[in-house]
Amino acid sequence: MRTIMSMAANVRFSKLVVCFLLVPFIGAGATSLLWENCSHMTLDSPVLHLGNPLSATCRLKSEDCAFDYRITATNIVWRMNEEEVSRSHYRALNDRVSSVTIPGFNRLKGNLTCYIWYNESLQLLQWAEVKAGFPPERPRLSFCTSYWTSFLSQSIICNWDPGPETYLETNFTLHISETIGNCSVRYLDPKNCTTSRTKNSCLVLVLNLASYHDIWVTAKNRLGTETSSHMCLDGMLIVKFKAPQIITVKRDAQQNDCLLGQWEMPFEMVDHSEAAFQIQHKAVDEDKWTQRPLTVINSTFFRLCNLRPYTAYQLKIRCKQKIETSPWSEWSNENTGITSECAPAQKPQIWRCIEAPDSNGTRRVRLMWKPLKKKAANGKILGYRINLHEPETQVYNTSNLEYSFHLPDGNYRIRVAAYNSVGESPEAQIIIPSSNELEFPPLSHLVASSSGNSSLLMQWEPPNMTTTGYVLEWCVVSEKVACNINWQNVPANNTNAIVRDNIEPMRLYNILLYPLFDGLPGVPTSTQAYSKEGAVVVNGSEHNYILAGLSANTEYDVNIMVSTDGGSTTGSNLAITTKMFDDGEVEAFLMIIFLFSLLMALITIATCIYQQHRIKKHFWPNIPDPANSTLAQWMPKKLWEDVKEFREEPSPKTPVQVVHCGGLTKDNISGTNYYWIQEIKHGHYSKTETNSLNEANSSTKQSLQDFSSWQNESDPQESFQNLYIALEYSKITRNEYKRHSNPTFAVVPSDSSQSLLSCLSQIISSEEQNRLPVIHNIPDSSHGKTLQESNDTINERELLHGFPFLMNLNIH
């Protein structure tokens, strides 16, 4: 009992301790709520002019909340963006109010907070956001544009200059009021639209564009409002037309440097003569547009001139009213047209290559020229006309860029002109001097150096004589490839030139420079150079090096330069030629071919196996078995009755009746089937093997033809002992032989002098004879009898070998 009372006392004591422990926490929560609800902050203005002072107060509401007597306004602390404000800027007005003044607020935005010290920590009382900026300056209207979409949809859009940045939310409102006269009297309330500073334009719907409108704009934010000056505009004079449409563009037949365009004016435009037009054009292969005024012919066509011949141009146009305030329309759709051709404007650049005279004194002169550039061709070049003066003029035509002559030694003047469908270019002239003519001296100095991986810089000193130009000629130095000449003309006042055509790095080029004196070339000056050489530096202790990155099947010149502190020296050149394929590439190539062939073979075999039924059907079709045909199951009525009698007494053998030819007529054997049966005397087949029923008709005619010749053969080993005709009433299947038998006749000649063919003709028509199949019979050595010797039963294997339909027949 005492123990129970002690436990109860302990429980009560524990509950009391818990209650005392919870009191501070509950009080702390209540205190936190107390500071927020029992204080108030006041700002002179939440939005300030940037740089103006900021003033605020924080008051403790003692009339509604009970504070500790130790808490006063002196315990309040001010902070701006979590940075404590200097205490010199704030003071306690009384026990409950603290004020702060920041002399110059230079922030665009800030958070002002007031705290109070309590229990050695800061407790938040209140906070407020402060913004600073500038009042708007007076906006300035820039321009206004009206749109006449339809009679029921008319509008005016104005743009303005908003002025300097205010750093505050600023709204702009556009006001438009229709007036009577020149904005003298407003007869409707203004219509307006409002937008923010981010968009400096606005649209207002109006009732009638055919009147004057008073237009102004106002700007407003928290620091003030400003209004622009007023603008008075006639709505019809500021209409922005819709873009015109270009329908087609074609060449002008009257002027080859002009294009004729067909256009469609916008519906707002009443008369094209009251409008102004601009056009933009550029060649299709160019990027820059050219803009200029355009004069239209009428409301349907316009003409654009001063263009390059035979050039495709893209065009687009725009229009506006002729008055200054009218805005331009948007650009029209683009359309393309090609100007007409005209005669080539420049002469071609020509050069020649003269070979040494042959034994007859004839020289081969190879004349070469460069194609005209597109801007100079003025059309499609159809060919080149060559005039050779020797002294008589001979004319040649070609479409190639070179022409060869075989000329006797002498002086010749050659002129070349390019032509198109319109005309010829100016003529280019070159003189071919005789081999013994006095040659002009060569240049004294020519230097070639690299100007990049694919170009060479050529420099020379001009000769003492006046030149009319220069010709540079170059080609790759190679023992395998013939010199493929490249050349270019250089003006007379130049002393340097850059060669770019067909220049490749790490290739040696032979370069010739010809000075021209009144069209006659002087003696050339030559040099050699690389656009880029491979330079590899190795240590002096090395005696070998592998050159990598070379082109296949290419000739290279290699030399070694040895350098010491005392100087350098270069050894002789070594010409090397790289192989077409690296080691192993041929084997790899052959292996790929082998694997590919093997793969194709496997695919072919797999396809044949997979499609074997189709292949067999195509190459080895199944031959139908006549025994399975409906005809094999047919039997004449009379014969069917006779067969029924045999069924009563079944026998494995069917008798075969031997009949002489004279004892049968055609009527007696109508409806039967006929077969040849040949019995060989010595067991050798003289001609053909056994024919199946399916093949019988195709071979019978040949068998009958061969029979006449067989009778005349004198060789006893190849002669026939007997020949018969078997007549069978119907065909039946092999399975039916076990339970059916058909009467069969064997027909033989009446006497030995009678021919079996003549016998056969008495009972079978010639057409049927041609269809008789031949069945050979090899007599058994153990049986010497034949049908002609006896009318006894003939062994079925002797008579019917290879004849399945007469198997199991007993002949007697």
Side-chain angles (χ1 to χ4, degrees), residues 37-64:
N37 296 330
C38 299
S39 60
H40 180 71
M41 179 184 287
T42 302
L43 296 176
D44 287 352
S45 176
V47 179
L48 302 175
H49 192 292
L50 194 63
N52 284 3
L54 168 65
S55 297
T57 59
C58 187
R59 182 170 63 89
L60 299 174
K61 297 189 293 185
S62 59
E63 62 273 11
D64 297 327

mmCIF file of all heavy atoms in Angstrom, residues 37-64:
data_model
loop_
_atom_site.group_PDB
_atom_site.id
_atom_site.type_symbol
_atom_site.label_atom_id
_atom_site.label_comp_id
_atom_site.label_asym_id
_atom_site.label_seq_id
_atom_site.Cartn_x
_atom_site.Cartn_y
_atom_site.Cartn_z
ATOM 1 N N ASN A 37 2.214 41.373 -34.166
ATOM 2 C CA ASN A 37 0.865 41.949 -34.124
ATOM 3 C C ASN A 37 0.815 43.256 -33.348
ATOM 4 O O ASN A 37 -0.163 44.005 -33.478
ATOM 5 C CB ASN A 37 -0.109 40.951 -33.484
ATOM 6 C CG ASN A 37 -0.258 39.692 -34.317
ATOM 7 O OD1 ASN A 37 -0.132 39.754 -35.535
ATOM 8 N ND2 ASN A 37 -0.528 38.562 -33.665
ATOM 9 N N CYS A 38 1.823 43.523 -32.563
ATOM 10 C CA CYS A 38 1.790 44.705 -31.718
ATOM 11 C C CYS A 38 2.799 45.756 -32.154
ATOM 12 O O CYS A 38 3.420 46.439 -31.322
ATOM 13 C CB CYS A 38 2.038 44.314 -30.256
ATOM 14 S SG CYS A 38 0.794 43.170 -29.604
ATOM 15 N N SER A 39 3.008 45.856 -33.504
ATOM 16 C CA SER A 39 3.913 46.880 -34.031
ATOM 17 C C SER A 39 3.376 47.344 -35.374
ATOM 18 O O SER A 39 2.569 46.667 -36.033
ATOM 19 C CB SER A 39 5.339 46.345 -34.174
ATOM 20 O OG SER A 39 5.352 45.248 -35.054
ATOM 21 N N HIS A 40 3.857 48.498 -35.822
ATOM 22 C CA HIS A 40 3.366 49.083 -37.069
ATOM 23 C C HIS A 40 4.472 49.961 -37.669
ATOM 24 O O HIS A 40 5.149 50.695 -36.959
ATOM 25 C CB HIS A 40 2.123 49.934 -36.811
ATOM 26 C CG HIS A 40 1.569 50.568 -38.051
ATOM 27 N ND1 HIS A 40 0.940 49.852 -39.042
ATOM 28 C CD2 HIS A 40 1.548 51.875 -38.456
ATOM 29 C CE1 HIS A 40 0.569 50.673 -40.001
ATOM 30 N NE2 HIS A 40 0.929 51.911 -39.670
ATOM 31 N N MET A 41 4.677 49.830 -39.042
ATOM 32 C CA MET A 41 5.680 50.625 -39.738
ATOM 33 C C MET A 41 4.983 51.568 -40.691
ATOM 34 O O MET A 41 4.028 51.195 -41.392
ATOM 35 C CB MET A 41 6.662 49.739 -40.515
ATOM 36 C CG MET A 41 7.722 50.531 -41.292
ATOM 37 S SD MET A 41 8.809 49.477 -42.286
ATOM 38 C CE MET A 41 9.779 48.747 -40.984
ATOM 39 N N THR A 42 5.510 52.792 -40.776
ATOM 40 C CA THR A 42 4.967 53.805 -41.674
ATOM 41 C C THR A 42 6.097 54.390 -42.512
ATOM 42 O O THR A 42 7.158 54.733 -41.976
ATOM 43 C CB THR A 42 4.288 54.926 -40.887
ATOM 44 O OG1 THR A 42 3.248 54.366 -40.073
ATOM 45 C CG2 THR A 42 3.687 55.968 -41.822
ATOM 46 N N LEU A 43 5.884 54.494 -43.858
ATOM 47 C CA LEU A 43 6.850 55.088 -44.789
ATOM 48 C C LEU A 43 6.282 56.394 -45.312
ATOM 49 O O LEU A 43 5.073 56.503 -45.579
ATOM 50 C CB LEU A 43 7.129 54.146 -45.962
ATOM 51 C CG LEU A 43 7.809 52.802 -45.656
ATOM 52 C CD1 LEU A 43 7.899 51.971 -46.930
ATOM 53 C CD2 LEU A 43 9.185 53.027 -45.083
ATOM 54 N N ASP A 44 7.143 57.377 -45.506
ATOM 55 C CA ASP A 44 6.701 58.611 -46.134
ATOM 56 C C ASP A 44 6.186 58.329 -47.546
ATOM 57 O O ASP A 44 5.177 58.884 -47.975
ATOM 58 C CB ASP A 44 7.839 59.630 -46.191
ATOM 59 C CG ASP A 44 8.137 60.221 -44.813
ATOM 60 O OD1 ASP A 44 7.349 59.928 -43.886
ATOM 61 O OD2 ASP A 44 9.151 60.916 -44.686
ATOM 62 N N SER A 45 6.890 57.443 -48.300
ATOM 63 C CA SER A 45 6.462 57.023 -49.637
ATOM 64 C C SER A 45 7.195 55.734 -49.976
ATOM 65 O O SER A 45 8.418 55.662 -49.817
ATOM 66 C CB SER A 45 6.768 58.093 -50.685
ATOM 67 O OG SER A 45 6.438 57.617 -51.982
ATOM 68 N N PRO A 46 6.468 54.675 -50.471
ATOM 69 C CA PRO A 46 7.150 53.437 -50.845
ATOM 70 C C PRO A 46 7.915 53.566 -52.166
ATOM 71 O O PRO A 46 8.734 52.715 -52.488
ATOM 72 C CB PRO A 46 6.011 52.427 -50.972
ATOM 73 C CG PRO A 46 4.817 53.254 -51.299
ATOM 74 C CD PRO A 46 5.002 54.569 -50.608
ATOM 75 N N VAL A 47 7.630 54.643 -52.930
ATOM 76 C CA VAL A 47 8.325 54.889 -54.191
ATOM 77 C C VAL A 47 8.984 56.250 -54.100
ATOM 78 O O VAL A 47 8.315 57.261 -53.835
ATOM 79 C CB VAL A 47 7.367 54.819 -55.391
ATOM 80 C CG1 VAL A 47 8.123 55.094 -56.682
ATOM 81 C CG2 VAL A 47 6.648 53.481 -55.450
ATOM 82 N N LEU A 48 10.277 56.282 -54.358
ATOM 83 C CA LEU A 48 11.037 57.511 -54.189
ATOM 84 C C LEU A 48 11.665 57.935 -55.493
ATOM 85 O O LEU A 48 11.934 57.103 -56.383
ATOM 86 C CB LEU A 48 12.150 57.302 -53.157
ATOM 87 C CG LEU A 48 11.741 56.841 -51.749
ATOM 88 C CD1 LEU A 48 12.988 56.568 -50.938
ATOM 89 C CD2 LEU A 48 10.873 57.898 -51.081
ATOM 90 N N HIS A 49 11.912 59.184 -55.628
ATOM 91 C CA HIS A 49 12.770 59.701 -56.677
ATOM 92 C C HIS A 49 14.184 59.282 -56.328
ATOM 93 O O HIS A 49 14.637 59.479 -55.200
ATOM 94 C CB HIS A 49 12.660 61.223 -56.753
ATOM 95 C CG HIS A 49 13.293 61.792 -57.987
ATOM 96 N ND1 HIS A 49 14.645 61.773 -58.211
ATOM 97 C CD2 HIS A 49 12.746 62.399 -59.069
ATOM 98 C CE1 HIS A 49 14.911 62.335 -59.363
ATOM 99 N NE2 HIS A 49 13.759 62.736 -59.911
ATOM 100 N N LEU A 50 14.869 58.654 -57.314
ATOM 101 C CA LEU A 50 16.179 58.105 -57.038
ATOM 102 C C LEU A 50 17.107 59.206 -56.522
ATOM 103 O O LEU A 50 17.291 60.240 -57.155
ATOM 104 C CB LEU A 50 16.759 57.466 -58.311
ATOM 105 C CG LEU A 50 17.970 56.556 -58.124
ATOM 106 C CD1 LEU A 50 17.600 55.344 -57.269
ATOM 107 C CD2 LEU A 50 18.491 56.106 -59.475
ATOM 108 N N GLY A 51 17.678 58.963 -55.289
ATOM 109 C CA GLY A 51 18.572 59.939 -54.672
ATOM 110 C C GLY A 51 17.920 60.756 -53.589
ATOM 111 O O GLY A 51 18.615 61.424 -52.809
ATOM 112 N N ASN A 52 16.577 60.748 -53.500
ATOM 113 C CA ASN A 52 15.881 61.487 -52.441
ATOM 114 C C ASN A 52 15.998 60.736 -51.122
ATOM 115 O O ASN A 52 16.228 59.529 -51.100
ATOM 116 C CB ASN A 52 14.413 61.678 -52.804
ATOM 117 C CG ASN A 52 14.218 62.763 -53.840
ATOM 118 O OD1 ASN A 52 15.193 63.336 -54.333
ATOM 119 N ND2 ASN A 52 12.980 63.051 -54.187
ATOM 120 N N PRO A 53 15.797 61.444 -49.936
ATOM 121 C CA PRO A 53 15.892 60.779 -48.635
ATOM 122 C C PRO A 53 14.692 59.867 -48.396
ATOM 123 O O PRO A 53 13.594 60.091 -48.904
ATOM 124 C CB PRO A 53 15.922 61.945 -47.641
ATOM 125 C CG PRO A 53 15.279 63.076 -48.363
ATOM 126 C CD PRO A 53 15.613 62.910 -49.806
ATOM 127 N N LEU A 54 14.916 58.841 -47.576
ATOM 128 C CA LEU A 54 13.880 57.888 -47.194
ATOM 129 C C LEU A 54 13.617 58.060 -45.704
ATOM 130 O O LEU A 54 14.555 58.022 -44.897
ATOM 131 C CB LEU A 54 14.338 56.453 -47.490
ATOM 132 C CG LEU A 54 13.492 55.335 -46.887
ATOM 133 C CD1 LEU A 54 12.081 55.336 -47.495
ATOM 134 C CD2 LEU A 54 14.161 53.978 -47.123
ATOM 135 N N SER A 55 12.343 58.229 -45.338
ATOM 136 C CA SER A 55 11.962 58.391 -43.922
ATOM 137 C C SER A 55 10.910 57.345 -43.584
ATOM 138 O O SER A 55 9.998 57.071 -44.396
ATOM 139 C CB SER A 55 11.400 59.785 -43.640
ATOM 140 O OG SER A 55 12.385 60.766 -43.882
ATOM 141 N N ALA A 56 11.023 56.788 -42.342
ATOM 142 C CA ALA A 56 10.062 55.777 -41.897
ATOM 143 C C ALA A 56 10.024 55.788 -40.385
ATOM 144 O O ALA A 56 10.956 56.273 -39.716
ATOM 145 C CB ALA A 56 10.466 54.397 -42.415
ATOM 146 N N THR A 57 8.928 55.261 -39.801
ATOM 147 C CA THR A 57 8.771 55.124 -38.352
ATOM 148 C C THR A 57 8.308 53.712 -38.050
ATOM 149 O O THR A 57 7.616 53.067 -38.849
ATOM 150 C CB THR A 57 7.737 56.117 -37.799
ATOM 151 O OG1 THR A 57 6.470 55.892 -38.438
ATOM 152 C CG2 THR A 57 8.170 57.550 -38.023
ATOM 153 N N CYS A 58 8.690 53.229 -36.861
ATOM 154 C CA CYS A 58 8.259 51.928 -36.365
ATOM 155 C C CYS A 58 7.706 52.151 -34.956
ATOM 156 O O CYS A 58 8.423 52.640 -34.069
ATOM 157 C CB CYS A 58 9.435 50.955 -36.348
ATOM 158 S SG CYS A 58 8.975 49.262 -35.935
ATOM 159 N N ARG A 59 6.421 51.799 -34.752
ATOM 160 C CA ARG A 59 5.741 52.113 -33.485
ATOM 161 C C ARG A 59 5.281 50.829 -32.817
ATOM 162 O O ARG A 59 4.745 49.924 -33.466
ATOM 163 C CB ARG A 59 4.532 53.001 -33.756
ATOM 164 C CG ARG A 59 3.754 53.437 -32.503
ATOM 165 C CD ARG A 59 2.733 54.488 -32.841
ATOM 166 N NE ARG A 59 1.730 53.975 -33.767
ATOM 167 C CZ ARG A 59 0.597 53.360 -33.373
ATOM 168 N NH1 ARG A 59 0.366 53.190 -32.091
ATOM 169 N NH2 ARG A 59 -0.260 52.932 -34.268
ATOM 170 N N LEU A 60 5.530 50.781 -31.445
ATOM 171 C CA LEU A 60 5.025 49.687 -30.624
ATOM 172 C C LEU A 60 3.638 50.080 -30.133
ATOM 173 O O LEU A 60 3.454 51.154 -29.563
ATOM 174 C CB LEU A 60 5.957 49.434 -29.429
ATOM 175 C CG LEU A 60 7.398 49.038 -29.780
ATOM 176 C CD1 LEU A 60 8.235 48.959 -28.491
ATOM 177 C CD2 LEU A 60 7.423 47.713 -30.496
ATOM 178 N N LYS A 61 2.642 49.194 -30.351
ATOM 179 C CA LYS A 61 1.254 49.527 -29.985
ATOM 180 C C LYS A 61 1.011 49.117 -28.541
ATOM 181 O O LYS A 61 0.498 48.057 -28.239
ATOM 182 C CB LYS A 61 0.286 48.819 -30.932
ATOM 183 C CG LYS A 61 0.435 49.270 -32.384
ATOM 184 C CD LYS A 61 -0.657 48.741 -33.262
ATOM 185 C CE LYS A 61 -0.580 47.240 -33.424
ATOM 186 N NZ LYS A 61 -1.574 46.721 -34.378
ATOM 187 N N SER A 62 1.401 50.033 -27.571
ATOM 188 C CA SER A 62 1.308 49.726 -26.160
ATOM 189 C C SER A 62 -0.134 49.717 -25.662
ATOM 190 O O SER A 62 -0.440 49.079 -24.662
ATOM 191 C CB SER A 62 2.123 50.743 -25.341
ATOM 192 O OG SER A 62 1.629 52.054 -25.599
ATOM 193 N N GLU A 63 -1.040 50.433 -26.373
ATOM 194 C CA GLU A 63 -2.405 50.501 -25.894
ATOM 195 C C GLU A 63 -3.147 49.177 -26.045
ATOM 196 O O GLU A 63 -4.136 48.927 -25.363
ATOM 197 C CB GLU A 63 -3.174 51.609 -26.642
ATOM 198 C CG GLU A 63 -3.296 51.376 -28.153
ATOM 199 C CD GLU A 63 -2.110 51.921 -28.901
ATOM 200 O OE1 GLU A 63 -1.107 52.296 -28.251
ATOM 201 O OE2 GLU A 63 -2.163 51.958 -30.151
ATOM 202 N N ASP A 64 -2.651 48.358 -26.961
ATOM 203 C CA ASP A 64 -3.336 47.074 -27.171
ATOM 204 C C ASP A 64 -2.537 45.889 -26.658
ATOM 205 O O ASP A 64 -3.097 44.805 -26.498
ATOM 206 C CB ASP A 64 -3.598 46.856 -28.665
ATOM 207 C CG ASP A 64 -4.522 47.921 -29.235
ATOM 208 O OD1 ASP A 64 -5.387 48.378 -28.480
ATOM 209 O OD2 ASP A 64 -4.370 48.255 -30.429
#
